[in-house]
Amino acid sequence: MKFKCFSCFLCDKEQSQIQNGKEKKKRDYPWEIYTLKELLRATNNFHQDNKIGEGGFGSVYWGRTSKGVEIAVKRLKTMTAKAEMEFAVEVEVLGRVRHKNLLGLRGFYAGGEERLIVYDYMPNHSLLNHLHGQLATDSLLDWPRRMSIAIGAAEGLVYLHHEANPHIIHRDIKASNVLLDSEFEAKVADFGFAKLIPEGVSHLTTRVKGTLGYLAPEYAMWGKVSESCDVYSFGILLLEIVSSKKPIEKLPGGVKRDIVQWVTPHFQKGNITHIADSKLKGRFDLEQLKRVIMIAIRCTDNSPEKRPSMVEVVEWLKGGLGRRKKEIPNSTHTNGDGEIRRTQSKLKIPSDDDGLKIR
């Protein structure tokens, strides 16, 4: 993938030409190139009151265009080579993809020291906000809504892994990167760490990016990245969705415990209801909960070859397993101290014959 093409977007002459209607009609960009003036006006000069998110990359601001359209504007921090690359990757990837469960790119601005990416505004914010943040106490995520979000995010990943050309590995699947529209439809967001996978290539070895707690072991240790790394991250996300537990929790004495370590003994002992978020107050389908946890265990297998594809994950979440019952193979998981332990499991993913349907 080449990024030199983006340099043509950076000069003022090009910006003014594209703003001119004649030049704009000649080019078939899948996005709009905004002026800095437009985005300053839309966000009230990036006023603190307009800030709706912040991360290592920079800040995100709510805005409203002169046409009355609500937008979200990501403003990158200091312009480094790393930030420039992430900006280029995100615009490149989002310019390629179109799917109802991927956050839409409206456009961008690149000039001087400013790199701004403009997205559709998501009024229900991020999944992280609802699970652990300011919206958690509002308990807006009932059981059907959680299942819908899980399936939507999974379908977005199916598109990236199997339908986009070339295929795309997200590399940073986590709760803060699943945004929710006005209908709580899931939108996978933030493609700054994404990798395009050429046809016929099974994996790449690269510098590790992503978020602690969601990283597949082979990626965290050796930088070996493939679609199965996203599958692992999605398995962690599934457990987070049903339990509202964070991927890594600090215990007394400074000990850290990951969510798989917490879930596994409860699941083996049959304490399924203990895993469900207490804010659900018991209002969930017990068999669906069992199935989701079993799927998550499959996704977080230490061996990438044993993890399912996202196509299978979507099929299982929707209950489309057919008449066969599939046994979950033995899985190994690593605890917070790096000690590897084996989880012996005779668990089976239920079939349609068990009457399990997610609606």
Side-chain angles (χ1 to χ4, degrees):
M1 180 168 50
K2 297 179 179 179
F3 300 110
K4 289 183 179 179
C5 61
F6 284 92
S7 64
C8 68
F9 300 148
L10 307 185
C11 66
D12 294 335
K13 183 179 179 181
E14 179 75 2
Q15 290 283 348
S16 61
Q17 283 180 332
I18 291 174
Q19 202 56 33
N20 183 293
K22 295 180 181 179
E23 184 67 18
K24 198 170 183 179
K25 290 178 182 177
K26 291 179 182 178
R27 297 180 180 271
D28 186 25
Y29 291 117
W31 47 66
E32 183 176 348
I33 300 180
Y34 290 85
T35 65
L36 182 58
K37 184 178 180 180
E38 283 179 296
L39 298 180
L40 286 171
R41 186 186 303 118
T43 60
N44 193 19
N45 294 317
F46 298 112
H47 195 279
Q48 185 68 22
D49 291 345
N50 288 51
K51 185 183 288 189
I52 55 176
E54 189 165 10
F57 56 83
S59 302
V60 179
Y61 297 84
W62 172 85
R64 190 187 297 276
T65 68
S66 57
K67 297 179 181 178
V69 178
E70 289 187 294
I71 58 175
V73 183
K74 180 192 286 188
R75 187 186 196 189
L76 274 67
K77 285 183 179 176
T78 53
M79 208 56 248
T80 62
K82 178 183 175 183
E84 184 80 75
M85 178 62 75
E86 290 179 15
F87 170 82
V89 168
E90 183 147 19
V91 174
E92 171 80 6
V93 170
L94 287 175
R96 293 172 178 267
V97 299
R98 289 290 184 274
H99 188 272
K100 66 183 179 69
N101 295 115
L102 300 178
L103 182 64
L105 173 72
R106 298 192 69 90
F108 68 93
Y109 170 82
E113 292 296 307
E114 289 284 2
R115 299 293 181 273
L116 308 171
I117 305 179
V118 184
Y119 310 92
D120 295 324
Y121 173 65
M122 296 292 109
N124 279 310
H125 308 287
S126 74
L127 180 58
L128 181 75
N129 250 321
H130 290 273
L131 295 177
H132 313 299
Q134 296 175 340
L135 298 174
T137 54
D138 295 341
S139 300
L140 298 176
L141 299 186
D142 60 14
W143 182 254
R145 196 166 267 175
R146 291 181 196 227
M147 291 301 93
S148 174
I149 290 168
I151 292 171
E155 289 184 327
L157 284 175
V158 168
Y159 175 87
L160 294 178
H161 290 181
H162 301 282
E163 298 173 30
N165 186 23
H167 297 168
I168 298 168
I169 302 173
H170 187 283
R171 289 208 297 169
D172 201 18
I173 296 300
K174 58 182 178 179
S176 61
N177 285 341
V178 176
L179 304 185
L180 305 171
D181 69 9
S182 58
E183 302 298 320
F184 284 87
E185 181 87 35
K187 310 281 185 179
V188 176
D190 200 338
F191 291 82
F193 294 161
K195 280 285 184 185
L196 305 186
I197 303 297
E199 189 70 32
V201 174
S202 62
H203 69 274
L204 299 172
T205 301
T206 183
R207 190 174 178 180
V208 177
K209 302 277 188 179
T211 303
L212 195 64
Y214 294 93
L215 300 180
E218 74 280 4
Y219 179 45
M221 290 187 284
W222 302 300
K224 184 178 178 181
V225 63
S226 65
E227 283 98 338
S228 66
C229 294
D230 281 351
V231 175
Y232 183 96
S233 301
F234 182 78
I236 299 296
L237 183 67
L238 266 185
L239 295 178
E240 195 174 357
I241 287 172
V242 300
S243 70
S244 284
K245 289 281 187 180
K246 293 182 178 180
I248 296 179
E249 288 192 314
K250 290 183 180 180
L251 303 179
V255 177
K256 293 182 180 179
R257 177 182 62 192
D258 68 56
I259 195 169
V260 177
Q261 288 175 310
W262 175 74
V263 164
T264 301
H266 288 304
F267 191 70
Q268 290 176 327
K269 294 173 184 176
N271 298 332
I272 303 300
T273 56
H274 190 78
I275 296 172
D277 184 359
S278 60
K279 292 193 294 295
L280 289 168
K281 298 180 178 178
R283 292 191 289 268
F284 54 82
D285 186 305
L286 182 59
E287 294 304 320
Q288 288 178 0
L289 176 63
K290 288 180 184 178
R291 182 199 297 159
V292 171
I293 296 169
M294 286 189 280
I295 294 169
I297 290 173
R298 283 290 302 270
C299 289
T300 56
D301 196 294
N302 271 19
S303 174
E305 293 78 16
K306 292 180 181 178
R307 294 173 205 148
S309 69
M310 287 308 303
V311 171
E312 291 174 302
V313 170
V314 168
E315 182 185 1
W316 294 343
L317 284 173
K318 289 183 174 180
L321 283 173
R323 295 187 175 276
R324 292 183 59 195
K325 291 187 178 182
K326 297 188 178 182
E327 191 171 290
I328 295 180
N330 291 337
S331 301
T332 58
H333 292 292
T334 307
N335 66 19
D337 300 321
E339 179 187 349
I340 296 178
R341 60 182 174 78
R342 180 170 293 275
T343 301
Q344 299 292 339
S345 177
K346 298 293 185 182
L347 306 173
K348 294 178 182 293
I349 292 182
S351 72
D352 283 350
D353 292 342
D354 298 315
L356 308 184
K357 295 287 184 183
I358 295 177
R359 301 186 186 277

